Amino acid sequence: MKKISQKIIKILIITILLQAIIIPMCYASPEGTENKTGWGNIISSGDTFVEEGKTANEGEEVTINNDDIQKEFNDMYNILFAIGVVFSVIIGAMLGLKYMFGSIEEQVKVKESLIGYVIGCFVIFGAFGIWKFVILILANV
């Protein structure tokens, strides 16, 4: 029974993680423009940035739009934050299930690992909170 529940939990975790990758997002865009979101947009924008740098090295003047760069960082922030939230919820649920259904020894191990879990959540949400705060301050400067 325990192995079956662990397999079900693993399948659910994999399904939840794959949803962010598999489910496509679509935004309306003007005709003739590429409509990429998420990692594809970040990668294509990075390639465009590198190409603009190469043309600037050849003597042509290239202007870089700060709004586009800020949008790319916001996309990366949202993707990484979503991954952090998913992992923290899944790990928290697994620890809770182990605590509820485990023996006394397993409950002690879960309590010991809760310290690491809380510190990890603090780092994830604190780091992203500080990053967002800095971006907001620098956007106003």
Side-chain angles (χ1 to χ4, degrees):
M1 181 68 181
K2 191 174 184 179
K3 289 184 180 185
I4 293 172
S5 64
Q6 286 179 350
K7 287 182 182 181
I8 291 173
I9 290 173
K10 288 178 184 178
I11 290 171
L12 288 173
I13 291 171
I14 291 171
T15 304
I16 290 170
L17 291 176
L18 288 177
Q19 269 185 331
I21 298 170
I22 294 173
I23 296 176
M25 292 182 282
C26 181
Y27 299 112
S29 63
E31 189 174 323
T33 61
E34 279 191 46
N35 191 12
K36 294 183 179 179
T37 59
W39 291 114
N41 191 16
I42 294 171
I43 292 171
S44 66
S45 296
D47 291 339
T48 305
F49 183 78
V50 170
E51 290 301 320
E52 288 176 358
K54 288 180 182 176
T55 58
N57 286 338
E58 294 171 358
E60 297 178 23
E61 187 173 325
V62 178
T63 59
I64 297 174
N65 189 354
N66 290 334
D67 293 333
D68 291 340
I69 294 173
Q70 183 178 4
K71 182 184 177 301
E72 296 307 319
F73 277 114
N74 285 338
D75 288 344
M76 186 170 44
Y77 163 80
N78 291 332
I79 290 170
L80 293 175
F81 188 72
I83 290 171
V85 168
V86 167
F87 275 119
S88 64
V89 168
I90 290 171
I91 291 171
M94 288 174 47
L95 288 173
L97 288 173
K98 281 184 179 181
Y99 185 76
M100 287 190 303
F101 298 116
S103 65
I104 301 289
E105 295 164 354
E106 288 179 355
Q107 289 178 356
V108 171
K109 289 180 183 177
V110 168
K111 284 182 181 180
E112 290 174 355
S113 62
L114 271 177
I115 296 170
Y117 174 72
V118 170
I119 291 172
C121 286
F122 181 75
V123 167
I124 288 172
F125 297 117
F128 285 119
I130 291 169
W131 183 12
K132 194 67 169 179
F133 181 71
V134 168
I135 288 176
L136 287 174
I137 289 176
L138 293 178
N140 293 330
V141 171

